[in-house]
Amino acid sequence: MLAKVLLSLFLWLRFAAGQDTPEPGAQPPISSAEGDLLFLLDSSASVSHYEFSKVKEFMWDLLHPFTFGPRDVQTSIIHISTTPTMEFPFDQYLSSGTVRKAIRDTRQLMGDTNTGKALSYAKEKLFSGEAGARPGVPKVLVWVTDGFSTDDISEPMQLLKDMGVTVFIVSTGRGNFLELSAAASQPSDKHLHFVDVDDLPIITKELRDGILGVMRATRLHATDVTSSSFRLVWPRLLSQDSGYYSLEYGPSAEPARRSTQQLPAALGSLVLSHLAPETTYEVALTPESNVHYFPTQTTSVTTLPEEISPVQVLISDSGPRSFHVSWAPVLDSVASYQVLYGPLPGNSVKVLQVDGRHNSTVVKHLAPNTTYLVTVTAIYRSGKEKSLSAKACTQEEGSRVRHLRFEEVGADSLRASWDPAEGAVRGYRVRCRRRSGRSSALSVAAQVHSVLLSDLPRGSSGSVCVQPVYSHRPGSTLCRTVRRQPATEAQGYGHGERHRLQ
């Protein structure tokens, strides 16, 4: 009888395990794609070992149906860290087996999240013969991020897109939606994915199909299509001194409005702007060479329906006397924005004027601990107006803890202490995110200004954040990274406290 019960339990557990972790279905091989695919991999200390390993699994799931080779897909990895590093050149691994092993052997570097540096480095490598990159093939960048960067990404990312690189972004954290939307190729809903690291398989097929759409377009084609612009991308057929390109484009229904441009031989992409919404444009690109004959390449592109701005207003970086307001999207058809703000309740309203090319501003000289109504109005060149409102709350004066510090107290413990925040603090929330191991959180009373952190052995690292809690809202969080020296370099021990974070 007992044997039957155990057998039934075993079979049930096998069935349950199969239900929870289904095997991915076999993918048919893909042999009709050609391009250089670069992964920008967050290898910094802000990513846990578990998250890093899940991202590596995702990369291989994304890649394994592709055919690799000098006339097919080539891939590489650049690490985001204090200093960017290329894991291997594009032309080093040209079979599924070697690519899989190279990804499996990739190790996390730790360090800072200097994404801007990594993007500038990627711009060099994507067009470098020494790095195995090929001229005249589509270039795709897949940036997998937890949403944070310690340096600016906007300028190096724009330079990459200006060179014809298609950018896909996968955010596994709480990144700034507006910043990442601007960084990804357009439309952002096709090139930007927000997903938890455990749910990455959900987006694998959609992302792979997006990459395929770029790599199969080896002729003149359009990307980043909006209601008033699109980017033309073409393979580089001419050398610097061998000729130029003749570009002709215009609305299909109005041949008399066709425009012509002469473009330098080194160019591989161009943005056409100030176009009419919901209009089909015929485009012809002729390589004019004094060495070889190249046929004219043509394509048709239909702009999207007229967009409306703003469709989203976000409040961030709230302090006692200021906050940051941002909105999206930014459109060529908008001449300027007006930001109206005033306290609730109340009838006092002030106005800020913002240039139509910008999508954010800082509202200053506010009252602490006050709720404001913020209205962003887009003023179109046509005279139309569109408004959207949001509420914003300033914090209490001095609502941030100060001087977060650490003290060794044992082989696997240390004490975190801080100076109290100002105002009517009701308590503090303390969070510890360990690089290896589980994260933890603790709430303490307002009069407590230190906690004991355990499960932090010498040689390990993590981040500790302390946030004051007020009656109506939490205050600003102060975070610091803690890195414990190895045992041979450690100092003496101290005594513990009764408040322990495990």
Side-chain angles (χ1 to χ4, degrees):
M1 181 67 182
L2 178 61
K4 289 183 178 180
V5 171
L6 290 175
L7 178 61
S8 299
L9 178 61
F10 171 74
L11 292 173
W12 183 87
L13 289 173
R14 281 194 62 184
F15 173 77
Q19 291 294 100
D20 290 341
T21 56
E23 288 293 324
Q27 296 290 330
I30 299 169
S31 57
S32 58
E34 181 182 20
D36 290 337
L37 173 58
L38 178 62
F39 286 93
L40 201 62
L41 179 61
D42 192 341
S43 192
S44 69
S46 70
V47 176
S48 70
H49 176 73
Y50 173 78
E51 291 169 332
F52 191 79
S53 64
K54 295 299 288 186
V55 170
K56 289 202 302 179
E57 292 176 14
F58 167 68
M59 289 166 56
W60 173 242
D61 288 344
L62 191 68
L63 285 173
H64 81 265
F66 286 103
T67 301
F68 300 95
R71 293 198 166 193
D72 297 289
V73 174
Q74 295 185 167
T75 190
S76 181
I77 297 171
I78 285 179
H79 292 270
I80 300 172
S81 185
T82 304
T83 301
T85 303
M86 194 171 205
E87 181 73 17
F88 49 82
F90 287 99
D91 57 356
Q92 182 167 344
Y93 301 113
L94 300 178
S95 69
S96 291
T98 56
V99 169
R100 183 176 192 176
K101 184 177 185 302
I103 293 174
R104 187 174 63 240
D105 293 344
T106 299
R107 295 292 176 262
Q108 189 171 3
L109 301 184
M110 308 305 291
D112 296 326
T113 315
N114 291 333
T115 308
K117 277 188 180 180
L119 288 168
S120 298
Y121 184 70
K123 181 171 70 71
E124 299 174 11
K125 298 303 180 183
L126 268 169
F127 297 93
S128 167
E130 293 182 0
R134 297 164 291 177
V137 302
K139 309 288 184 178
V140 176
L141 176 74
V142 177
W143 173 25
V144 185
T145 175
D146 63 358
F148 300 97
S149 176
T150 55
D151 58 353
D152 178 64
I153 68 168
S154 57
E155 183 176 349
M157 187 67 88
Q158 188 58 50
L159 288 174
L160 273 169
K161 291 189 288 187
D162 288 344
M163 296 175 74
V165 178
T166 301
V167 178
F168 293 89
I169 300 177
V170 178
S171 175
T172 61
R174 297 180 179 179
N176 184 305
F177 174 80
L178 294 174
E179 181 181 57
L180 295 180
S181 294
S185 291
Q186 297 300 310
S188 61
D189 61 336
K190 302 293 185 184
H191 297 84
L192 173 61
H193 302 271
F194 282 88
V195 62
D196 187 83
V197 72
D198 291 315
D199 297 325
L200 283 168
I202 294 173
I203 67 165
T204 301
K205 183 180 185 303
E206 182 180 353
L207 179 55
R208 186 191 298 127
D209 289 345
I211 294 170
L212 273 173
V214 177
M215 290 190 169
R216 284 174 169 164
T218 56
R219 292 175 52 81
L220 174 69
H221 64 282
T223 65
D224 298 352
V225 180
T226 71
S227 61
S228 60
S229 66
F230 55 79
R231 180 185 296 276
L232 291 172
V233 181
W234 59 90
R236 297 185 181 183
L237 302 174
L238 305 176
S239 61
Q240 185 69 39
D241 302 319
S242 66
Y244 59 91
Y245 294 100
S246 292
L247 175 68
E248 184 175 319
Y249 68 96
S252 302
E254 301 177 71
R257 291 182 53 198
R258 296 180 73 84
S259 301
T260 59
Q261 294 185 38
Q262 183 173 306
L263 308 176
L267 210 59
S269 72
L270 179 71
V271 175
L272 300 181
S273 56
H274 303 294
L275 307 177
E278 288 189 282
T279 303
T280 299
Y281 286 82
E282 299 292 339
V283 183
L285 183 74
T286 305
E288 305 284 1
S289 172
N290 51 23
V291 179
H292 300 287
Y293 167 74
F294 296 102
T296 297
Q297 297 189 27
T298 61
T299 188
S300 297
V301 187
T302 301
T303 52
L304 300 179
E306 185 170 18
E307 295 179 87
I308 296 176
S309 178
V311 296
Q312 185 175 35
V313 174
L314 296 178
I315 309 296
S316 60
D317 299 334
S318 178
R321 298 188 178 275
S322 67
F323 49 74
H324 186 264
V325 184
S326 54
W327 54 89
V330 175
L331 306 176
D332 291 338
S333 54
V334 175
S336 64
Y337 293 93
Q338 286 185 347
V339 180
L340 289 79
Y341 62 97
L344 290 176
N347 299 317
S348 173
V349 176
K350 295 184 179 180
V351 180
L352 291 176
Q353 299 287 345
V354 181
D355 187 277
R357 296 169 295 178
H358 300 157
N359 75 325
S360 67
T361 188
V362 177
V363 181
K364 301 178 181 179
H365 310 300
L366 305 174
N369 195 26
T370 303
T371 300
Y372 285 83
L373 180 65
V374 181
T375 301
V376 179
T377 300
I379 302 174
Y380 289 79
R381 301 183 192 280
S382 63
K384 295 179 182 178
E385 295 186 3
K386 169 69 167 58
S387 299
L388 190 65
S389 299
K391 288 184 179 180
C393 299
T394 54
Q395 297 184 358
E396 293 194 28
E397 199 81 60
S399 60
R400 177 192 291 272
V401 300
R402 295 169 292 162
H403 308 305
L404 177 59
R405 52 198 175 271
F406 306 107
E407 178 186 358
E408 298 267 358
V409 294
D412 64 350
S413 303
L414 55 81
R415 182 186 298 115
S417 57
W418 59 92
D419 292 347
E422 297 178 4
V425 179
R426 302 195 63 175
Y428 296 92
R429 293 194 188 111
V430 186
R431 298 192 306 276
C432 179
R433 183 181 183 185
R434 299 165 179 83
R435 186 179 71 84
S436 298
R438 58 190 175 84
S439 299
S440 52
L442 175 70
S443 294
V444 297
Q447 65 270 23
V448 176
H449 303 132
S450 69
V451 296
L452 189 68
L453 308 176
S454 61
D455 294 334
L456 281 170
R458 292 200 171 92
S460 66
S461 64
S463 63
V464 178
C465 299
V466 180
Q467 181 183 40
V469 179
Y470 294 89
S471 55
H472 298 295
R473 66 183 67 86
S476 298
T477 302
L478 177 62
C479 296
R480 278 192 59 191
T481 299
V482 56
R483 294 184 176 89
R484 299 203 69 192
Q485 295 183 359
T488 55
E489 305 174 22
Q491 305 297 320
Y493 300 155
H495 296 287
E497 296 281 340
R498 67 184 181 90
H499 297 285
R500 178 182 294 268
L501 190 65
Q502 297 180 326

